[in-house]
Amino acid sequence: MIYLDSNVVVAATTNQDVSEKVQRLLRVKQPFYVSRLADYEARKAMACLDPAAEGNLDRLLAEKFRLGNEWDGAIIQALKISRQFKRRLCVDSADTLHVGWAMSVGADVFASFDRASGPRALALCLGLELWPEPRPKDFETMKRLKG
Amino acid sequence: MKTLETVSGTFVRHNWKDIIAGVAAGKCFLVENHGRKEALVISPETLEQPQTSGFDLDEYFAGLKKQPKISLEQINATLARSPEL
C-alpha cells in the first residue's frame, strides 16, 4: 500500500510541474491510502491554491484512493516514534503523525515531496520505501535523525 | 504475522474476525500490550482498492492541464506549518 502525504494529494488534484511523475505513480497497481489528516491538509491548501481541485480530490477518493480514519492507531504509532527518537526527532507533530499513520496501516511506501521538514527521512529511518526515490538531502536528514 | 512489536497504551483493535481477515490479507501485526501478546489488524477495507471502472487516468490528467498551473514550491509553501513552540 502507498501512503500519500498531503503534498502528493494536492499534486494529484492540481495542474503543476510534477503532473507526469504523479500520473506514473497512480498507474502503480497498489492501493493508495489517504489519511483523514492528509485529506484535511490538502483541502485546506486547495482553498488557497485552487478551490476547483476539491472536486478532483472527491473524484479520486471515489475512484482511486482509500480514505482512512484510523486516528487511534496512527497516534499510538507516532508516539512510539517520538519515544524512540526523543530529542533527535527534528520532525514536527503532524509530519510525525503522517509517518506513524503510514506505519500503523501497514503501508510499504511513503509518497511525499516534502524534503524540507523531514517526514521522508523519518520514513526512511523506519524502513518505509520512499517515493520519489531518496536523494542526498533525505540521507543527510536521516543521518541527523539517527544521531 | 508480519512483525512483533511492543506497544503500550490504548489497544486499537481486538476482534478475532478482523484478526483472521488481517492474517489472510497478510497485514496482521502481533503486538505486546502490557505484557500480553495481541494482534493489531489492518481492516480489509483499508487494503481494498476502490472500484476503478470508468475512471480514465489519462483523461483525468488531460482535464487537470486545463486548470491554472501552480508549482510544487507553492504547494509545499502552502502546506508548511509554523514552527512549533
Side-chain angles (χ1 to χ4, degrees):
Chain A
M1 188 203 302
I2 301 175
Y3 181 94
L4 304 180
D5 194 1
S6 321
N7 49 70
V8 177
V9 176
V10 178
T13 53
T14 52
N15 180 20
Q16 31 59 43
D17 38 12
V18 285
S19 279
E20 281 180 21
K21 209 178 255 192
V22 176
Q23 195 171 353
R24 278 200 299 276
L25 172 71
L26 297 193
R27 286 194 192 291
V28 173
K29 300 270 180 231
Q30 277 196 53
F32 295 97
Y33 183 95
V34 176
S35 65
R36 193 72 178 93
L37 172 64
D39 177 70
Y40 158 70
E41 286 186 328
R43 286 181 195 274
K44 183 173 175 282
M46 286 168 194
C48 161
L49 293 168
D50 179 6
E54 272 208 73
N56 297 333
L57 178 54
D58 291 336
R59 191 167 170 209
L60 285 175
L61 286 171
E63 306 272 5
K64 194 92 185 136
F65 297 164
R66 166 78 48 204
L67 181 64
N69 212 15
E70 300 92 342
W71 287 90
D72 284 353
I75 290 169
I76 288 171
Q77 192 66 45
L79 287 174
K80 194 176 156 194
I81 293 169
S82 310
R83 288 172 193 135
Q84 181 185 342
F85 286 86
K86 299 185 175 76
R87 283 174 178 269
R88 284 175 284 120
L89 188 62
C90 49
V91 179
D92 77 19
S93 308
D95 283 324
T96 305
L97 188 52
H98 277 299
V99 176
W101 203 312
M103 292 187 74
S104 72
V105 294
D108 310 294
V109 180
F110 186 76
S112 173
F113 287 116
D114 184 359
R115 289 192 169 85
S117 21
R120 284 173 53 89
L122 182 60
L124 201 56
C125 268
L126 294 164
L128 292 168
E129 274 178 54
L130 282 189
W131 181 92
E133 283 189 4
R135 287 199 192 154
K137 167 115 184 167
D138 298 312
F139 292 115
E140 223 173 85
T141 315
M142 188 172 96
K143 245 189 212 170
R144 244 190 10 246
L145 282 167
K146 283 189 163 176
Chain B
M1 296 290 175
K2 192 176 176 186
T3 186
L4 174 65
E5 297 184 56
T6 301
V7 296
S8 58
T10 316
F11 185 64
V12 178
R13 184 169 293 149
H14 192 185
N15 174 321
W16 282 106
K17 273 188 188 169
D18 282 349
I19 291 168
I20 292 161
V23 172
K27 293 283 180 183
C28 189
F29 295 78
L30 191 63
V31 297
E32 205 171 287
N33 185 30
H34 297 297
R36 272 173 53 192
K37 282 196 180 111
E38 299 186 65
L40 171 65
V41 177
I42 312 309
S43 73
E45 300 82 59
T46 300
L47 301 167
E48 276 171 19
Q49 183 90 14
Q51 294 299 313
T52 54
S53 59
F55 182 70
D56 184 331
L57 207 55
D58 294 329
E59 187 193 314
Y60 170 79
F61 276 92
L64 277 193
K65 281 179 190 156
K66 291 174 190 154
Q67 290 178 209
K69 193 158 185 170
I70 55 176
S71 68
L72 187 58
E73 284 73 28
Q74 274 177 289
I75 294 175
N76 281 332
T78 310
L79 285 165
R81 290 169 281 268
S82 307
E84 294 181 67
L85 293 173

